[in-house]
Amino acid sequence: MPEGKNPNWRVWALAAALALCLLLALAVGSVSIAPGEVAARCFDALRGRARGDALDRIILDARLPRVLLAAAVGSALALAGLAAQNLFRNPLAGPHVIGVSSGAALGAVAAMLFAGAAGWAVAFWSMAGGLAVGAAVFFLARTGRQWGYSLLLAGIALGTLCSALTTGALYIAGERLQTIIFWLMGGFWRANWSEARVMLPLAVAAAVALRLMAPAMNVAVLGERSAEDTGVNVRRLQFGLLAVAVVPTSVAVSLAGVIGFVGLIAPHMVRLIIGNDHRALVPGCAFAGALLLAGADAVARTAAAPAEIPVGLITAILGAPLFLWLLLRRAGEGRR
Amino acid sequence: MTALQARGVHFRYGPGRPVLQGVDLDVERGRIVGLFGANGSGKSTLLRCLNNSLRPQAGEALIDGRPAGGMSRREIARRVAVVPQHTPDDLPLRVEDMVLLGRYPHGTLWGETTEDDRAVVEESLRRAEAVELRGRRFDQLSGGERQRVVVARALAQGADILLLDEPATHLDIAHQLSLLRLLRTLADQGCAILLVSHDILVAPGRVDRAVLLADGRVAAAGEAVVALSPENLRRAFGAALAVSWSADGGVTLTPSAQGGG
């Protein structure tokens, strides 16, 4: 909703924080590079004057695609979370609630286990799994009269089924168990330019699509009926929100595994900073999601170097306490 | 031209019992029409058919003479505003921002707030007698204050046809009367108002025309004094009631000696 104070500068502040975070993420690693040097090299490359030396290769070929992929996945997950929370008018919803992450994970695990798939084939089957669950949830929910409600229930049911099947697959995985579990924990160690080139435009498209829905999302908090009476085409909005919650998430899981909590946490953090106006929340979430995951990935690859901590572990370990804190804060507000 | 019409509207939810069975209704500008009936008589369903939230299986709703079925949601919302039975009361919004949501059907692609929007919000708050609430939070208002804000939000849509679904349900008698006074002022300003109510104590004396709905059909329509006769009320509510009208339009109902069902 529109706030009395202008939230625009807060969005720009988030954008600035993201830029700083990306710069630092590019600077840290096995070779430390001065952030100023990183910035200069990036600008040179943008102007087509890359120097092509060893430092350039580290920054532009090794680190940049990974940092950008992490940022894009973070954005996509945060936007998906915002879309899901508005769709279900439930602050605890996230992309996982519609079962998409579970479907994508099942697709990937099944492909690795039964078809011996690797690389892009895993990504493909993971995406197919996520989209299949998203589509199934959508068509199951169409039969219900209370659309948002039946969507939530169908999502939880299918998500639980997929998780159970994944666990079953792990049970019979034998010697592949470690590979699969490592994949499931999520991470960007395989990141390369071709993956970043898929994920970046998708995250931008999701942000633009969701920003176009923002005015209707503001009205949607009044409830389905009131939103309709106020001129919102509720079905179209819900379909759009579902698409933003499903498509980028499926692709993100296929490229980076299951990364928890970003989709749930980022929208809440941004609400605390920016307020409830979706016109500012959408860009805010895009920036904050990118900031969180690019930051978490930088920690993941440097904290225990040369070993790498799965980034899903970092987001969950940092995310869960943060989430509990938000929850307690909410409960405290409820009592007042 | 008649602002809002229902022509032979039939509606049923799924394969169930029909809720509306050929309802005709007219609401003109400058008038308040009261739609009365027992719980489950089809009042709210009719209201939702009138702005095409529900599509009648037969018959049609006409908005300014045009079939509502052929209009987009935005187009309808610019002409017809609804004051709903329930508005979530936990919305952490400032009143001004809540009313601004009513500008949605006039919004641009990116939905930026214009000076024009601000002016309309100001005017709507004034008309709904809610100016002094402007800076407060919606979830911290009393029931009566909240209802005025919801009316202001409806006015901000720029629509001059207002549909109110049991707007007085959570209001005490003083606030009910003040809401009805507000509706009269709006009607005098040229609004067409349809007031849906199961309450036949306060509203009937203050509407220009009463329509009594029973089992999805219009049981009676006309001046409230005539339409809400004891026989008609018994048919609509299944209760035997004695009705007496005072000179200023007040109505007193007493359960009559035969008892009621």
Side-chain angles (χ1 to χ4, degrees), chain A residues 1-2 211 225 229-230 279, chain B residues 51 93 97 110-112 153:
Chain A
M1 263 82 335
R211 177 58 187 81
R225 276 194 194 175
D229 292 337
T230 312
R279 295 173 301 178
Chain B
N51 82 339
L93 296 180
D97 297 330
W110 298 101
E112 299 305 334
R153 190 185 65 79

Side-chain angles (χ1 to χ4, degrees), chain A residues 103-172:
Chain A
L106 178 62
V109 169
M112 283 189 265
L113 198 59
F114 301 118
W120 281 104
V122 176
F124 173 81
W125 284 109
S126 161
M127 199 164 66
L131 291 177
V133 169
V137 167
F138 179 69
F139 284 108
L140 281 173
R142 273 165 76 99
T143 53
R145 202 188 287 164
Q146 284 278 357
W147 207 69
Y149 193 55
S150 30
L151 198 61
L152 189 64
L153 292 178
I156 289 174
L158 279 179
T160 309
L161 179 66
C162 289
S163 298
L165 290 175
T166 305
T167 310
L170 291 178
Y171 192 68
I172 56 166

Side-chain angles (χ1 to χ4, degrees), chain B residues 203-242:
Chain B
R206 288 161 184 84
V207 299
D208 299 308
R209 209 154 57 83
V211 175
L212 194 59
L213 212 57
D215 291 325
R217 289 195 175 86
V218 175
E223 266 190 78
V225 186
V226 182
L228 304 183
S229 67
E231 306 86 84
N232 288 341
L233 287 178
R234 180 166 47 236
R235 267 205 290 157
F237 288 88
L241 299 162

Side-chain angles (χ1 to χ4, degrees), chain A residues 44-220:
Chain A
D44 284 348
L46 273 178
R47 285 181 298 175
R49 282 196 243 140
R51 283 166 241 182
D53 58 4
L55 217 50
D56 253 14
R57 280 198 295 279
I58 293 175
I59 297 171
L60 301 176
D61 296 342
R63 288 185 193 167
L64 192 56
R66 176 167 182 159
V67 168
L68 288 181
L69 180 65
V73 166
S75 271
L77 291 177
L79 292 168
L82 184 65
Q85 285 166 16
N86 190 259
L87 179 61
F88 299 122
R89 282 196 303 287
N90 185 337
L92 302 184
H96 60 286
V97 170
I98 350 173
V100 179
S101 305
S102 313
L106 178 62
V109 169
M112 283 189 265
L113 198 59
F114 301 118
W120 281 104
V122 176
F124 173 81
W125 284 109
S126 161
M127 199 164 66
L131 291 177
V133 169
V137 167
F138 179 69
F139 284 108
L140 281 173
R142 273 165 76 99
T143 53
R145 202 188 287 164
Q146 284 278 357
W147 207 69
Y149 193 55
S150 30
L151 198 61
L152 189 64
L153 292 178
I156 289 174
L158 279 179
T160 309
L161 179 66
C162 289
S163 298
L165 290 175
T166 305
T167 310
L170 291 178
Y171 192 68
I172 56 166
E175 68 211 29
R176 290 176 200 258
L177 187 61
Q178 203 179 355
T179 324
I180 293 176
I181 288 197
F182 202 60
W183 189 92
L184 278 178
M185 280 193 284
F188 297 99
W189 67 91
R190 293 177 285 114
N192 56 41
W193 269 114
S194 57
E195 294 182 335
R197 278 199 197 98
V198 171
M199 200 61 222
L200 261 180
L202 193 61
V204 172
V208 172
L210 208 58
R211 177 58 187 81
L212 285 170
M213 293 180 230
M217 290 165 83
N218 280 343
V219 181

Side-chain angles (χ1 to χ4, degrees), chain B residues 28-39:
Chain B
E28 299 86 7
R29 288 201 167 71
R31 309 193 70 184
I32 303 177
V33 175
L35 180 61
F36 301 101
N39 295 328

